Amino acid sequence: MLEIRLNGRGGQGTMVAAKILAVAAAREGLHVQAFPEFGVERRGASVCAYVRIARQPIYERGRILRPGHLMVLDPVLLDRPDLAQNVGAGGWIVMNTRLAPEAWRARFDGFKAAAIDANALAIEHRLGSRFAPFVNSVMLGAFVRAVPFVACDTLCAAIRENSPAKPDANVAAALQAYRDVRLAAAAEAVWATR
C-alpha cells in the first residue's frame, strides 16, 4: 500500500492535490482513499491531507500514522523540526524549495529527496498570485516523477478534470514540474509490501 501525507497551508490547494492523486490512481484501476486534516482555521493555516493507494481494496479507515512518502507544498514548513516524524525511512520527500534536494541531506537523512521551485512555476503559469501561488498541480507533477505510481498522462487528465480553474495552465505547470524536478535519487518502483 502506498500512503502519502501532503503538508501545506490553506489556500495552496493541498486538499485538491490529494483528490487529484486519488482520481489519477482510480483511473488506473487502483483502490484509493483521500481525506483532509485541518483545524478551524482554513486560509493560511497549516493543513494536511492523506492519500492511500493500493492494488487491493483498502479496509483501513483510520488516519495515516506512518506515511511512506511526504509532499511539502509550503517551503516554510520545511523548517518544522517534526515534519518528517513518522515518515517511513527510505520514502520520498518532495519539496517546494529553491534549493537543490542535496541541500536537505543532513536534515532528511534516510529519505530520498526531490525539489522543485513550485512557487516560481505557479507564478510563471499564472496560478494564483505572486503572494499566494497555487502550487498543487506543480507539486503533483514533481511527485509523480519521483514516485511513479501512475502515468503522467493519467495525472494530467485528472488535473484537467478536477482543477477548479485554469485547467490548461495547471496541466502545463504539472508537465513542466515533471520535466524539471530535481531528484537526489533515481525514481523506482513504489509498491512496498506491508
Side-chain angles (χ1 to χ4, degrees):
M1 182 176 325
L2 187 62
E3 294 182 315
I4 306 158
R5 186 178 78 216
L6 295 80
N7 286 82
R9 293 206 178 274
Q12 290 184 303
T14 307
M15 304 308 152
V16 173
K19 176 185 175 184
I20 290 171
L21 274 181
V23 167
R27 283 175 166 270
E28 293 204 355
L30 299 167
H31 298 269
V32 297
Q33 285 181 351
F35 48 95
E37 175 183 88
F38 46 84
V40 294
E41 292 182 64
R42 300 291 175 101
R43 189 78 131 166
S46 181
V47 297
C48 291
Y50 301 91
V51 180
R52 278 192 180 103
I53 302 167
R55 292 181 176 165
Q56 277 77 33
I58 301 169
Y59 297 108
E60 295 179 46
R61 295 291 183 248
R63 187 173 147 214
I64 295 174
L65 300 175
R66 297 191 53 79
H69 305 284
L70 178 62
M71 186 187 317
V72 185
L73 284 76
D74 188 334
V76 174
L77 296 175
L78 292 169
D79 293 329
R80 284 183 40 187
D82 64 338
L83 182 67
Q85 184 178 2
N86 297 327
V87 177
W92 280 93
I93 296 180
V94 180
M95 303 172 277
N96 174 4
T97 179
R98 293 180 189 168
L99 301 175
E102 293 80 11
W104 298 95
R105 183 168 288 138
R107 176 79 194 290
F108 297 123
D109 189 33
F111 298 100
K112 293 174 250 175
I116 188 79
D117 188 349
N119 288 350
L121 275 179
I123 291 166
E124 178 183 331
H125 289 274
R126 297 186 174 164
L127 300 172
S129 70
R130 294 186 62 75
F131 303 106
F134 299 137
V135 299
N136 55 351
S137 294
V138 175
M139 292 301 295
L140 289 171
F143 188 81
V144 167
R145 171 78 187 284
V147 186
F149 67 96
V150 296
C152 187
D153 290 345
T154 303
L155 174 69
C156 289
I159 290 171
R160 184 175 308 284
E161 291 179 9
N162 293 280
S163 292
K166 300 184 179 181
D168 292 335
N170 276 284
V171 169
L175 287 170
Q176 187 172 348
Y178 185 87
R179 289 189 305 269
D180 295 350
V181 66
R182 294 161 290 166
L183 305 175
E188 57 191 40
V190 299
W191 297 107
T193 57
R194 287 183 86 188

